Amino acid sequence: MILNFCIQNSFVKYNNSYLGFDSIEICIQNPNMTADIISIPRASLHEQVAQRLRQMLVENLIAPGAKLNERELSAALEVSRTPLREAIKMLAAEGLVELLPNRGAIAVELSEADVLNTFEVMAGLEAQSGELAARRITEQELSAIRALHFEMLAAYTRRDLSNYYRLNAQIHRAINAAAKNPVLANTYTQVNARLQALRFRSNQDEEKWKTAVKEHERMIEALSARDGPAMRAVLQAHLENKRDAVVNQLRLAQPAANRSGAA
């Protein structure tokens, strides 16, 4: 139901009693009043497609090393190839997709050395973000992170890995934003893009998932206490544990012959 009414030269008070309506449109007519038209930006189609592809890559619906079949993806996402190709270019810039001459696009597959090197950098970025955030975070930012944390715990209780990861990623981005360092934020975003799928899969081990949740509890405690060194330490350990889980998964996924040769 839509409530639509007009008030001339009057002061309008709004309260929650109107929440029974689907929407409320209020018109105030006053010859002395002017109003600007505010345009609300909408994500372009290729950005929406990129977000859906990003989720598919992160959740391993498109396996590392797999070719991105444009015909199949266009049909699955119900879009034409033009926005799909633009989306793939975006993901290539983020490091999630590799564009190969005469072969098209493939999902990036990181070697063990790539993983170790990238997590080493990411651990430093997360630790720096955490320490700065503990010093600079506002009460409003802290409250928002706490709210996300409680939602994440609910997802963990349901063993809803998809929503858990989504909320987890929001928390890490919020901590990075609370550091209030744009150079750090840009570097964080660029490096983290390469690790999203691996960070998602690291929680598929029940014990490691449980450990990660405990580490997030300690993050909230350190942020609340404005304890920079404690925040740095827990985030450093958090990323190192993620690294170890990912490397272990990579090694287990290797063919037995390769594992014995590596040993």
Side-chain angles (χ1 to χ4, degrees):
M1 180 167 55
I2 297 175
L3 178 65
N4 194 334
F5 61 92
C6 182
I7 302 173
Q8 295 187 348
N9 304 319
S10 300
F11 175 72
V12 179
K13 291 183 69 175
Y14 170 80
N15 58 53
N16 288 336
S17 64
Y18 289 117
L19 291 179
F21 295 96
D22 296 321
S23 66
I24 302 172
E25 298 175 4
I26 302 175
C27 170
I28 304 176
Q29 294 184 348
N30 188 322
N32 297 320
M33 295 174 64
T34 60
D36 295 327
I37 296 175
I38 302 173
S39 63
I40 301 175
R42 226 183 123 183
S44 63
L45 180 57
H46 75 271
E47 289 173 333
Q48 295 177 42
V49 174
Q51 178 54 37
R52 293 171 71 182
L53 280 177
R54 192 180 293 111
Q55 185 175 358
M56 292 171 73
L57 289 162
V58 167
E59 297 186 5
N60 207 32
L61 298 176
I62 301 175
K67 188 180 189 309
L68 274 65
N69 186 301
E70 289 188 4
R71 181 179 56 79
E72 292 178 0
L73 288 172
S74 292
L77 300 176
E78 298 181 337
V79 294
S80 68
R81 294 197 182 187
T82 299
L84 177 63
R85 287 169 180 163
E86 289 299 315
I88 289 172
K89 288 178 184 177
M90 284 182 62
L91 298 181
E94 294 176 11
L96 289 173
V97 168
E98 186 176 2
L99 301 177
L100 300 178
N102 304 318
R103 289 186 56 195
I106 63 169
V108 165
E109 185 172 22
L110 299 179
S111 67
E112 183 175 323
D114 292 331
V115 169
L116 290 171
N117 290 332
T118 308
F119 265 103
E120 185 174 58
V121 174
M122 198 65 203
L125 294 172
E126 291 264 20
Q128 182 70 19
S129 295
E131 184 168 11
L132 291 175
R135 299 207 310 255
R136 299 171 180 175
I137 196 167
T138 66
E139 281 298 327
Q140 185 176 8
E141 289 170 329
L142 181 56
S143 295
I145 290 173
R146 283 198 188 108
L148 288 170
H149 176 71
F150 289 130
E151 286 188 65
M152 188 189 75
L153 291 180
Y156 170 70
T157 301
R158 299 191 305 270
R159 295 304 186 267
D160 181 353
L161 182 55
S162 181
N163 273 316
Y164 173 91
Y165 179 78
R166 177 181 59 81
L167 293 159
N168 181 294
Q170 287 182 36
I171 290 169
H172 281 273
R173 287 195 298 268
I175 291 171
N176 178 261
K180 299 176 177 63
N181 184 314
V183 176
L184 179 61
N186 289 336
T187 308
Y188 171 92
T189 300
Q190 182 180 5
V191 177
N192 189 48
R194 289 169 58 84
L195 295 177
Q196 289 184 68
L198 297 175
R199 292 179 77 156
F200 177 86
R201 290 196 291 275
S202 69
N203 289 321
Q204 291 175 340
D205 180 289
E206 181 66 28
E207 282 305 310
K208 290 180 173 58
W209 194 0
K210 184 177 180 180
T211 298
V213 170
K214 289 181 179 178
E215 288 166 346
H216 269 266
E217 293 278 8
R218 286 162 52 202
M219 289 177 209
I220 298 299
E221 292 170 3
L223 277 177
S224 300
R226 306 301 199 274
D227 189 337
M231 193 63 178
R232 170 179 281 276
V234 69
L235 275 163
Q236 182 82 33
H238 186 63
L239 267 290
E240 288 174 355
N241 287 336
K242 292 284 184 188
R243 174 204 63 201
D244 293 344
V246 167
V247 169
N248 185 55
Q249 287 179 341
L250 288 175
R251 290 175 178 172
L252 289 174
Q254 290 177 353
N258 290 353
R259 290 203 302 270
S260 60

